[in-house]
Amino acid sequence: MTSPSIERGLLDNLRRYRLQRVLAGLLFWFPTSILFFLERVDLSTTLRLGAAYFLGVVVLEVPSGWFSDRYSRVLTLRIGAASLVATHALFLLAGSSVAALFAAQLFLALAMSAMSGTDTSFHYDSLEALGRASEFGKREASASRDAFIATMAAALIGGALGWVDLRLPFVASLAAAMLQLLNSLRMVEPELHGAGEIAETEPPVRSLGRRMKTPALAWLLLFLTVQQPLESLAIDMMQPWLAETVGSSLSEAGNAPLTSGLLLAVISLVGAATAAKSDQLRQWLGLRGALTLLATIEAVILIALASTRSFWILPLLALRSTQAAAGPVLVAAGAAPLLARNQRATFLSIGSLAGRGAYGTLLLVLGTKTDLDDVLNLGALVGAACLGLLIIGAGLARARS
């Protein structure tokens, strides 16, 4: 039985987790990050810096997930928040130094690796310790909705700040990261005593490897692998596409920060609505059907970006956040009951590693291109290929089940 003091700490965790998600959504530079790089370096170097981030995540993702599962959810979140503070400080001090920008990208990789999977596992563990694990799907959807509302506000503010000076969004993000660190210092580790957990007698890594051979988890791993290229290509290609479409060059942002901020705000608003309905989406279409629909939207966006510079596709771009909003909620809710506590963050980290490793490798290939049209066309091909793999995988998983 949970003591009153422990129960108070766990209930406080639930409030602080929601605040954590809101603060994590306050990346004011999100609508202007590519423009920030393009003001300092060329397109090829910008793509290689992006590859440094994603490949950095590849190196750090699984160790951070293992550390979270083995030692502490809360300490891992604190490491992530502290790394985010260092990231923004470095971006502000970097100037045009490629080495400093590279270092900032590595700290960003550490921050995102530490928080990826650990945040939702911390949420699930806190609910499970309270005997309320059945509430996870709806509560996670609500927290994701709040995070996208925060991202919407950050996009509007960040776009306006970037129009004045592309460094100002990083100043605002630094303040948010410091608040995030302070919030994590008040969290308490959720202690579980076996209730509701899957009992494991073999080593966690071997047991997780065995579980990942089951059709349900294997397909979720495939989704996590293709999700990152689809999601990241759609947002990263949107900014240079906008820079050319609104009449500016790639090295001169012009009105692109404002346009990007407004568009990303609308995207985030759509994401908030999607996140709130993610649990219903799973009930209507099933887990695999819902996730396949989200991936289809991203692939269509990539094909549209490569096909036209016309503003008529802006309503389509507004759907870009649907996968980012609902996908993590659906994956976490689908995977958590199938895994033991000491496997949850590791599984999500492996999926994130696979996805970001695939996208980091793709960015290295894209970094050899100097023409935006070539980059967009290759992105469209990758989007179609990812969707095809997901559909084929769903059919195989259904047959094996």
Side-chain angles (χ1 to χ4, degrees):
M1 183 175 178
T2 305
S3 70
S5 61
I6 293 176
E7 184 174 359
R8 282 195 299 271
L10 292 170
L11 290 172
D12 190 52
N13 274 357
L14 301 182
R15 290 187 289 269
R16 294 200 175 278
Y17 173 72
R18 188 176 290 269
L19 179 58
Q20 150 80 17
R21 292 296 303 272
V22 169
L23 292 172
L26 294 179
L27 296 178
F28 295 91
W29 47 262
F30 199 49
T32 60
S33 57
I34 300 298
L35 301 173
F36 173 84
F37 285 130
L38 289 173
E39 190 178 65
R40 288 154 179 77
V41 295
D42 58 24
L43 177 62
S44 180
T45 303
T46 294
L47 293 172
R48 286 196 291 269
L49 285 169
Y53 161 72
F54 282 99
L55 295 178
V57 172
V58 168
V59 174
L60 297 166
E61 187 75 58
V62 171
S64 67
W66 174 85
F67 182 87
S68 170
D69 281 337
R70 179 67 178 82
Y71 294 105
S72 171
R73 305 283 194 224
V74 172
L75 179 57
T76 308
L77 290 173
R78 290 171 182 169
I79 291 170
S83 300
L84 207 54
V85 172
T87 296
H88 295 123
L90 277 170
F91 274 128
L92 288 170
L93 296 172
S96 298
S97 169
V98 174
L101 293 171
F102 178 80
Q105 289 288 74
L106 292 185
F107 269 104
L108 182 60
L110 176 57
M112 296 306 177
S113 298
M115 291 184 283
S116 171
T118 295
D119 51 5
T120 55
S121 297
F122 169 79
H123 187 201
Y124 191 92
D125 291 352
S126 296
L127 285 168
E128 191 171 41
L130 288 165
R132 296 163 55 181
S134 62
E135 300 176 18
F136 176 76
K138 290 184 178 179
R139 294 184 68 95
E140 185 65 24
S142 177
S144 183
R145 177 204 61 200
D146 291 350
F148 271 89
I149 291 173
T151 300
M152 177 189 68
L156 289 171
I157 297 170
L161 291 173
W163 184 61
V164 177
D165 189 320
L166 287 170
R167 293 169 297 182
L168 291 179
F170 289 95
V171 175
S173 297
L174 176 59
M178 294 175 71
L179 290 175
Q180 191 173 339
L181 178 58
L182 291 174
N183 183 58
S184 70
L185 294 175
R186 300 293 301 276
M187 294 174 174
V188 298
E189 191 69 26
E191 298 293 341
L192 299 177
H193 304 285
E197 288 193 85
I198 297 173
E200 290 294 348
T201 57
E202 58 185 326
V205 175
R206 184 186 306 170
S207 174
L208 179 58
R210 177 175 55 79
R211 287 182 181 279
M212 286 171 61
K213 294 178 183 178
T214 62
L217 284 176
W219 190 84
L220 285 176
L221 180 62
L222 174 62
F223 175 80
L224 290 172
T225 302
V226 303
Q227 173 196 18
Q228 193 69 61
L230 286 171
E231 179 185 329
S232 297
L233 270 174
I235 192 64
D236 288 348
M237 295 303 100
M238 187 183 74
Q239 291 182 37
W241 182 89
L242 279 173
E244 286 201 347
T245 303
V246 298
S248 306
S249 68
L250 289 180
S251 59
E252 294 292 335
N255 290 324
L258 277 177
T259 308
S260 180
L262 289 169
L263 180 56
L264 191 58
V266 175
I267 288 173
S268 300
L269 185 61
V270 173
T274 305
K277 299 294 184 182
S278 58
D279 200 49
Q280 293 181 23
L281 189 64
R282 181 181 62 168
Q283 294 175 22
W284 293 336
L285 301 176
L287 182 62
R288 283 195 289 267
L291 291 174
T292 302
L293 173 62
L294 297 175
T296 301
I297 292 171
E298 300 284 8
V300 171
I301 288 173
L302 289 173
I303 293 170
L305 286 173
S307 302
T308 181
R309 293 292 195 277
S310 172
F311 277 106
W312 70 263
I313 70 167
L314 288 180
L316 178 62
L317 296 183
L319 299 177
R320 195 218 65 85
S321 63
T322 53
Q323 179 174 280
V329 178
L330 295 174
V331 170
L338 303 176
L339 297 166
R341 180 186 185 275
N342 62 354
Q343 297 172 339
R344 290 168 191 152
T346 301
F347 172 77
L348 294 174
S349 291
I350 289 173
S352 181
L353 179 150
R356 291 178 178 177
Y359 188 54
T361 303
L362 175 61
L363 282 178
L364 289 177
V365 176
L366 293 175
T368 64
K369 310 293 183 181
T370 57
D371 183 72
L372 182 59
D373 284 330
D374 291 339
V375 173
L376 293 173
N377 288 334
L378 184 54
L381 288 174
V382 169
C386 286
L387 180 59
L389 283 173
L390 202 59
I391 293 172
I392 292 170
L396 293 174
R398 189 177 301 110
R400 288 184 61 191
S401 297

